[in-house]
Amino acid sequence: MKNFKYRNPVKILFGEGMIKEMSKEIAQKERILLIYGGGSIFKNGVYKQVTEALEGYQLFEFGGIEPNPHYETCVRAVEFIHKENITFVLAVGGGSVIDATKFIVAAACYKGDAWDLMLGNAPIKAALPFGTVLTLPATGSEMNSGFVITKHATQEKLAMGSPLCFPQFSVLDPLTTLSLPATQTANGIIDAFVHVTEQYVTCPQDAPLQDRFAESILQVLVEEGKKIVADPSNVAVRANIMWAATWALNNWIGQGVDDDWATHMIGHELTAFHGIDHGQTLAIVLPGLLDVMRNYKKAKIIQMGERVFHIHANNEQEAINQTIEAVEKFFNSLGIKTRLSDYNVTETVIPKIVQRFQERGWLLGEEERITPEIVAEILRRRL
Ligand code: NZQ
Ligand code: ZN
């Protein structure tokens, strides 16, 4: 295991009915901006619960954050913050609303062109405080300090992070997830699953605690995933999925080990060019990445096969084949398709992605072994 420094300051308010506990976390003097997405919070009663919990506070609203949040929309929220002297922000929604909020609170404290923050040209030196009410278990954004923003004008989707962008608190009430369409529930489970594989299916790291934690998160996602397909109204199962998704990317399992993230980086491009949901892009890319990197990642693929999917094959290559097949079948069992052609994407996207990675000088994966040419091979296997 490598040396590491780990701190996660996010206070979690977990469970049914916990939205009303939120006011204890925000000082009465704050001028609060509630940020939300396309309006799901009005249909499922979450907006009502939040505004009731914050009765008596000075509360402002900014809605319309898109899935895969746009820089252009975030900039309008920053203007609103300045105009109304907002002192605290509350994100109510899925990963997109939370990510947008992280960028907005940092951009509100930055004087130049805020896209500089995404390009890494300017360090994040300050951010407004914020909390979150999560309505879609998937990204882990509620308990980490990362965010992903899309510049609509140029179809660029970039990731950034800062210790200043941890939420002060996050409310995780599984009841809020009952209104999720089946596809979003499935996307979320796949996103969490792949967050774990990005940190776990690398090369052996002699970090058995991180491994066992990772495997237990994967097992919970597989077992509870099956149950939620059979009974979407089961709140106890939804609670387990919610907590597992938070743990998949609160960065605990990534401490002291190398991580990959190539599946995410390739997936981000499929969203940028074709608007495919984040979870779906991962379901397409991961089986291809495991296949192409099978020899390098051999030990961990086989370990995941044995411990998560209970695979015991006669030889290593067969164990790898069966494990990759089990992963893909799991995604399909949630109702998510796993081929580019399922989303009407043809091979013409491959040179476009390769060109972008070449221009950015990106080498992906835990030891930067995934060159743009290997990215092309991964995608060709997913046509
Ligand atoms: O916008 P509203 O109307 O709220 O509807 C949303 C949206 O249409 C809907 N939804 C959310 N909660 C709901 C609901 N519908 C009914 N009932 C509810 N309870 O679901 C749709 C998708 O929401 P979105 O927030 O876009 O999904 P998700 O949570 O999967 O977030 C995806 C974004 O997070 C980024 C992704 O790249 C993508 O931009 N990621 C962020 C990460 C992080 N910060 O650590 C890591 C991830 O790997 C990921 O990259
Ligand atoms: Zn993800």
Side-chain angles (χ1 to χ4, degrees):
M1 199 192 326
K2 296 177 174 169
N3 294 359
F4 63 86
K5 290 182 183 172
Y6 180 60
R7 171 177 173 267
N8 193 314
V10 184
K11 182 167 180 178
I12 297 293
L13 280 61
F14 188 93
E16 294 179 34
M18 290 300 274
I19 291 176
K20 60 178 180 303
E21 297 287 316
M22 192 172 52
S23 58
K24 294 182 190 144
E25 309 301 325
I26 310 175
Q28 192 66 52
K29 66 173 178 20
E30 304 289 11
R31 290 170 68 83
I32 306 171
L33 180 62
L34 190 170
I35 295 187
Y36 61 91
S40 70
I41 63 163
F42 295 107
K43 293 184 203 137
N44 59 13
V46 172
Y47 173 82
K48 187 166 176 282
Q49 290 181 63
V50 168
T51 46
E52 279 174 10
L54 296 178
E55 224 175 281
Y57 281 84
Q58 303 175 78
L59 191 60
F60 301 79
E61 293 173 17
F62 185 93
I65 301 293
E66 334 43 26
N68 309 302
H70 292 177
Y71 160 77
E72 290 85 349
T73 309
C74 294
V75 169
R76 288 197 291 110
V78 171
E79 287 165 6
F80 188 97
I81 284 176
H82 290 153
K83 190 168 130 265
E84 298 294 348
N85 293 318
I86 298 297
T87 57
F88 190 93
V89 182
L90 182 68
V92 184
S96 292
V97 170
I98 299 176
D99 280 14
T101 297
K102 291 175 177 177
F103 175 65
I104 290 164
V105 294
C109 300
Y110 179 67
K111 290 217 161 50
D113 175 356
W115 192 245
D116 289 347
L117 303 174
M118 294 310 297
L119 293 173
N121 294 341
I124 295 173
K125 288 191 179 155
L128 291 177
F130 72 102
T132 86
V133 177
L134 179 69
T135 64
L136 199 177
T139 62
S141 192
E142 67 278 8
M143 202 177 169
N144 69 40
S145 57
F147 47 99
V148 189
I149 301 294
T150 297
K151 195 172 200 178
H152 185 59
T154 53
Q155 289 185 305
E156 285 169 283
K157 186 174 186 188
L158 297 179
M160 190 40 69
S162 160
L164 293 164
C165 293
F166 277 112
Q168 295 209 333
F169 66 85
S170 285
V171 181
L172 279 60
D173 179 343
L175 289 172
T176 65
T177 71
L178 283 170
S179 56
L180 281 169
T183 306
Q184 293 301 348
T185 300
N187 283 345
I189 293 169
I190 293 171
D191 193 17
F193 186 96
V194 180
H195 291 156
V196 177
T197 62
E198 299 278 25
Q199 301 168 88
Y200 159 73
V201 187
T202 50
C203 43
Q205 312 268 321
D206 193 17
L209 188 63
Q210 286 88 326
D211 276 8
R212 297 282 183 187
F213 251 96
E215 287 149 3
S216 62
I217 297 168
L218 294 177
Q219 278 175 318
V220 168
L221 291 168
V222 170
E223 288 163 12
E224 303 300 292
K226 256 186 228 149
K227 292 184 202 165
I228 210 66
V229 170
D231 179 9
S233 64
N234 190 324
V235 180
V237 172
R238 287 196 174 271
N240 289 329
I241 291 172
M242 202 168 208
W243 194 219
T246 298
W247 271 85
L249 196 50
N250 66 4
N251 292 333
W252 200 102
I253 58 169
Q255 296 308 313
V257 299
D258 287 337
D259 45 17
D260 182 337
W261 297 108
T263 300
H264 268 71
M265 293 303 133
I266 302 168
H268 286 173
E269 297 306 319
L270 293 174
T271 302
F273 281 121
H274 289 281
I276 304 173
D277 288 353
H278 176 62
Q280 292 169 337
T281 67
L282 306 174
I284 297 167
V285 176
L286 182 66
L289 181 131
L290 296 178
D291 190 20
V292 173
M293 302 306 287
R294 59 169 50 226
N295 288 325
Y296 171 63
K297 288 180 182 286
K298 172 166 81 177
K300 279 300 195 62
I301 297 175
I302 293 171
Q303 183 175 318
M304 173 170 72
E306 284 176 1
R307 295 186 186 174
V308 178
F309 293 102
H310 314 296
I311 288 165
H312 297 282
N314 293 332
N315 61 63
E316 285 184 341
Q317 290 304 321
E318 191 46 39
I320 295 170
N321 290 341
Q322 288 185 26
T323 304
I324 297 173
E325 207 177 298
V327 168
E328 192 168 354
K329 268 197 183 146
F330 170 56
F331 296 161
N332 293 147
S333 75
L334 298 169
I336 299 298
K337 300 206 163 116
T338 43
R339 292 269 165 192
L340 285 166
S341 51
D342 294 322
Y343 300 86
N344 298 320
V345 176
T346 64
E347 60 205 336
T348 55
V349 76
I350 299 176
K352 290 201 275 183
I353 294 178
V354 166
Q355 190 189 346
R356 274 198 168 171
F357 287 179
Q358 279 168 341
E359 283 167 5
R360 292 176 190 160
W362 279 9
L363 295 170
L364 306 177
E366 53 271 31
E367 285 180 340
E368 303 194 333
R369 286 167 183 248
I370 302 183
T371 60
E373 292 69 33
I374 294 179
V375 170
E377 181 55 27
I378 290 168
L379 289 169
R380 271 196 293 273
R381 293 194 193 185
R382 305 309 300 158
L383 286 169

